[in-house]
Structure formats: C-alpha cells, structure tokens
Amino acid sequence: LCFVRGRPPPFKSAFALNALMYLDMILAELNMIATAAKDWVPMVNPPIDEEGAPEDSADVSTGVLELISRQPSFKGIRRQLEESVLLVCEVLPDMLASKEHKCNHMQLRRPEQVKAAMDLDLADQLYEELSTASRSFIRERNELTNDLRVRLTILVRSLQNLAQHLGRIEEACIRETRF
C-alpha cells in the first residue's frame, strides 16, 4: 500500500472559512453598534418631517454616535479602524482569488504592526473622554438599556472587538502567505 499526496485544493477552503467566521463576528459587532445607537424609548413628541407628518421614531439616534464622534481620541480610533478595513478589503479578496498555494501580498503589515492595530490604544482615552462628557447625563435606574453611559460603553467595546476581528483576518492572511 502506497500513499500518494494529491494536488492541493484549487480553493483555500480552510482560509475562506476562517475569514468568513471573523467577517461574521464583524457584522455582529456592527449590529451591536447600530443597536446601541438606536432609540428604543417611544418619543412623546416625535419629530415632524417637511410635509408635517411624524417621522418614524424607530430610526432616531440616541445621540451616542454624535457624542462619540466629537471626542478627540475617536479620530485616531477611526483612522486606525479604517486602515485595517481598507487593508482587509484589498488583501482578502486577492488572496481568496489566487490559485497559488502561497500568495504574497505586498500590502500586508508585519505581525507586530497587526498586533498594535488590534489593541486600539486610544480606547482607554476614549473611555475617559466619554466619562467626562457623560457626567451630566441623567441616570436611568429602571431600564439599563436606556442608560446612555451603558450604550457608550457597549459602543466602545464593539469598536475594540472590531479591531480584534480585523486583526485576526490579517493574521490569517499572514499565515496563508507563510505556510
């Protein structure tokens, strides 16, 4: 009995499944951000559109996105996440489309750069800025989901998780180029 190694598969299915798993996690984090920003409390006086009809209050923001986007540290976090998103959007499709067993992509960062991007070092500063900005908010004691501080915390944690998942995709791309 003799074993013969066959051809490598034409499609990198294990790599694709790994990438899809992290992309699914990214989608879940984006849904969490959308949920944290959505206004779940019915408004007593709903906003009126130009034609005089009440607007749909289900899509009204609670203001958490507006508040977080005004913080100085958010600009750095946004830049860092955009850089990772653009890199993944550029590299991942190319690597999945490549028929070569090893696909070197010039835009891949070094592992230590990926690790640094995954940490979102400005997140602690953003927590502090939001803590200061939200001191005057009324505490919601009856329903925790209506407390803006909780929503802000969820939003920042989701941003940190996004950075982690994007970094994991980059790590998978780096492993795919080396092995």
Side-chain angles (χ1 to χ4, degrees):
L1 187 59
C2 181
F3 289 101
V4 177
R5 184 175 183 169
R7 298 182 327 166
F11 183 71
K12 304 166 187 155
S13 57
F15 173 62
L17 287 173
N18 195 21
L20 284 173
M21 178 186 69
Y22 287 115
L23 289 171
D24 192 41
M25 290 178 181
I26 288 170
L27 182 60
E29 294 301 333
L30 293 172
N31 281 326
M32 186 64 79
I33 290 171
T35 301
K38 194 172 186 180
D39 189 1
W40 293 100
V41 179
M43 298 178 71
V44 176
N45 296 319
I48 307 297
D49 64 12
E50 294 103 28
E51 297 163 2
E55 291 180 3
D56 183 14
S57 63
D59 293 333
V60 175
S61 170
T62 58
V64 294
L65 294 176
E66 294 80 0
L67 179 63
I68 204 167
S69 66
R70 287 193 303 258
Q71 304 310 311
S73 60
F74 180 72
K75 290 172 182 54
I77 289 173
R78 181 178 174 174
R79 181 194 47 74
Q80 195 171 353
L81 286 172
E82 285 175 348
E83 184 178 304
S84 293
V85 166
L86 290 173
L87 192 139
V88 166
C89 287
E90 177 87 19
V91 172
L92 186 60
D94 289 349
M95 291 188 73
L96 288 171
S98 174
K99 300 253 190 238
E100 297 175 22
H101 182 63
K102 287 175 132 181
C103 175
N104 282 337
H105 207 287
M106 301 312 292
Q107 285 186 304
L108 282 175
R109 297 186 273 194
R110 293 191 323 268
E112 55 274 4
Q113 291 174 311
V114 174
K115 183 71 173 157
M118 289 170 66
D119 288 338
L120 270 191
D121 53 345
L122 291 174
D124 289 336
Q125 185 179 340
L126 181 59
Y127 276 121
E128 289 177 24
E129 291 169 359
L130 291 172
S131 176
T132 302
S134 65
R135 282 199 177 118
S136 64
F137 291 175
I138 298 170
R139 288 186 187 242
E140 175 62 47
R141 299 193 191 281
N142 297 330
E143 184 61 45
L144 191 61
T145 58
N146 290 333
D147 192 329
L148 289 180
R149 284 180 220 77
V150 171
R151 290 175 181 236
L152 289 167
T153 302
I154 289 169
L155 199 137
V156 176
R157 186 64 208 170
S158 291
L159 293 174
Q160 289 175 298
N161 291 342
L162 280 173
Q164 286 286 318
H165 302 323
L166 288 165
R168 296 283 183 236
I169 292 173
E170 283 188 73
E171 285 178 343
C173 291
I174 291 169
R175 274 193 304 277
E176 192 66 24
T177 62
R178 297 206 173 146
F179 302 110

